[in-house]
Amino acid sequence: MKHAAPRPAGDLLLQPAPRAGVLLPLPLSGAYDYKLPKGTNAARGLLVSAPIGPREALGAVWGAAEGSVGDNRLKEAVPLAGLPALSHKLCDFVDWVASYTLSPPGMILAMVLRSAKAFAPETMRTAYVRGGATPKRLTPARARVLAVAEDGLARSVPSLAEEAGASPAVVRGLIESGALAATQLPEFAAFAVPDPALAAAALNGDQRRAADALKADVAAQRFAVSLLDGVTGSGKTEVYFEAIAEALRRERQVLILLPEIALTVQFLERFAERFGCRPAEWHSDLSSKERTRTYRAVMNGDARVVVGARSSLFLPFRALGLIVIDEEHEQAFKQEDGVIYHARDMAVVRARFEQCPVVLASATPSLETYVNALSGRYAHRRLYGRHGAATLPVTRLIDLRHEKTEAGSWLSPPLRDAVSATLAAGEQAMLFLNRRGYAPLTLCAGCGHKMTCRDCSSWLVEHRYRKRLACHQCGYETATPPRCPACNAQGTLIACGPGVERVAEEFGVLFPQARVAIASSDTMHGPLQTQAAIRAMARREIDVLIGTQIVAKGHHFPQLTLVGVIDADLGGSDGDLRARERTFQLLHQVAGRAGRAEKPGLVLMQTRNPADLVMAALAAGDRDAFYEQERVFRERAGAPPFGRLAAIILSSHDSVAVQEAGRTMARAAPAAKGVKVWGPTPAFYHLLRGQTRERLLVQAERNVDVQAYLRAWLAAVKVPNKVRVAVDVDPVSFF
Ligand code: ADP
Ligand code: ZN
């Protein structure tokens, strides 16, 4: 046997292949062992392509390999070329969220690796500039295209065609003739860099103090949580813009989380006015291309400011220097499907891993945040009053028990009078009702049959303009039937209660001369019409806006002086722990729309419970009185944030199996000090999308490790495969 020449010690060929535990973006219990090409530095976060079954998956080196399987039996994962790894901070965050939410870590990694294409090698794209040749035949369309190309910018065929108002064939003809020449550009246009110095506001005293404190946190690159607390119009946005400017000066990235991405156009424009360009966006409506472009730019640091929905929290920022969560109390931050998590709470955790400050902005903070600010755990930065001449509106209650209103009428005489006066003064009014459609319930006057969803335990909501009944839980729709499906009588179906469309109908009869629009997320209008209605209101092209909670948020209507709340009791005391808080927040926010400029505002709320805590606090304009009583109430009840809650939701198409699984789980609940288990009970929507749902609720004292309790419990029971088990730690809704 011939001996190979001796090789120097440390030669790669003599060493075994490096191996590592690789986490894949799949619902697996943990990382899987792979070998890596020789010479690979298997650092945590290194992105690899790993074979799994018949396909390749994107994954990340997560830690040391655990098994002792021989090299020949391990599959090889190959590092992706030329790409940054995920930071250790981000990997640690993924593990933390997985553990907190009791989710497989791979499912959290899947939220990080949201754009698979972003990891493919960067390609070039062909664009065209003016070429040397002159076309023989110069039609008007050709001339327009060449005129567009005159500025020397390289453009794609579609954008040349669009800008010139010509067909792509015209552009291609010019390319063939040599009048346009091809050039290669990077696949994606670069992001503009916001200019921190462009248009800073001259802050007032409160604003300056708050901004300075936030800027100091940004400058120190330290973890700190601040509640930026002030009524709408107090300048919270201006203040956190200063913190953003500070982060930009220090070349750090910023994440701004907003609750409803549909409402960001105004925000993006305002940002552009302050910083000279729009920020990058991240939400579910992005095209796959935009997604790839933004993801890459976030990863390499070129996207300096990202505005996004909750999923943007998992983006791989290169140098995150600040997180802002605007309207931090909004429930939209809670993700209820798949991995159930609260983006506000997880943002605070991410900031801790990144060692950067986080700002929670709200006029009506969540009780959790309020208590944290009160106890000093969060810094409390308060802005008192509105900026400039704007004053806070006066709120008055209209006691519907004493106001005589005829049946089928939703506007009481005092509200009608106030609308008349407002219109006579040439000012604007808004009527608010948090109910979409025409009527929330349709029933048969003959037999009493209620029209309900085929798949859910919810009423079908009539949408009269579209002549349809719709389920607002699952989207099921059907034409309004001519006969009652139960007793077959004709013409007996009647609408019960008001939705915004019905209020608009009555309004039209009362005030035929007023210019009015409806804004609701799903009327016949749709989101575009809603945006148009809101714009028309802001430009004073209409007199009255009638809307659902979509009108409550963030809009600035300078001429709006009257807000009428049709039913302030809606969503009131229905046993839900947070019902009072939510009602207060929503009504406070709606009221805040009135009198934002120089003219004072009036808010009229129709209620049957004027003595209720929420109503009394609103009428008195005493926000802190509400918070204080709610705090005491929660503390006595051991409710969050003074105690902890977690829900287990079981669901299945097999209703018997779900109920059986619920009982099995309840019997298996471990006894533990400071822990109570409630249920199983049918969930609020005990039928949802055709699935039967049961809930169990864990209530624990604050020092209890709820996750450990849940893990032990879940490990002790075997639930049949057809029953899905979801864990909701810190539930905010109870559906
Ligand atoms: P909030 O975010 O608290 O609702 P904004 O930051 O949107 O308040 O401020 C409300 C309005 O007042 C905006 O039009 C804003 O530009 C204006 N504003 C607030 N503070 C100032 C200031 N210091 N100088 C000039 N305009 C201001
Ligand atoms: Zn339904």
Side-chain angles (χ1 to χ4, degrees), residues 432-450:
F432 170 80
L433 177 63
N434 200 16
R435 246 194 214 143
R436 298 174 281 162
Y438 184 83
L441 169 64
T442 300
L443 60 74
C444 172
C447 73
H449 174 75
K450 291 175 181 161

Side-chain angles (χ1 to χ4, degrees), residues 3 21 109 131 234 247 251 330 346 458 487 492 506 526 534 584 705 720:
H3 287 269
L109 183 66
S234 59
E251 315 236 306
E330 282 288 336
M346 295 305 113
S458 56
C487 71
T492 52
E506 182 187 359
I534 287 167
F584 180 84
D705 182 345

Side-chain angles (χ1 to χ4, degrees), residues 453-456 458 460 471-476 689:
C453 176
R454 193 182 54 173
D455 299 323
C456 306
S458 56
L460 290 176
C471 171
H472 287 178
Q473 253 54 57
C474 73
Y476 167 78
R689 298 181 186 91

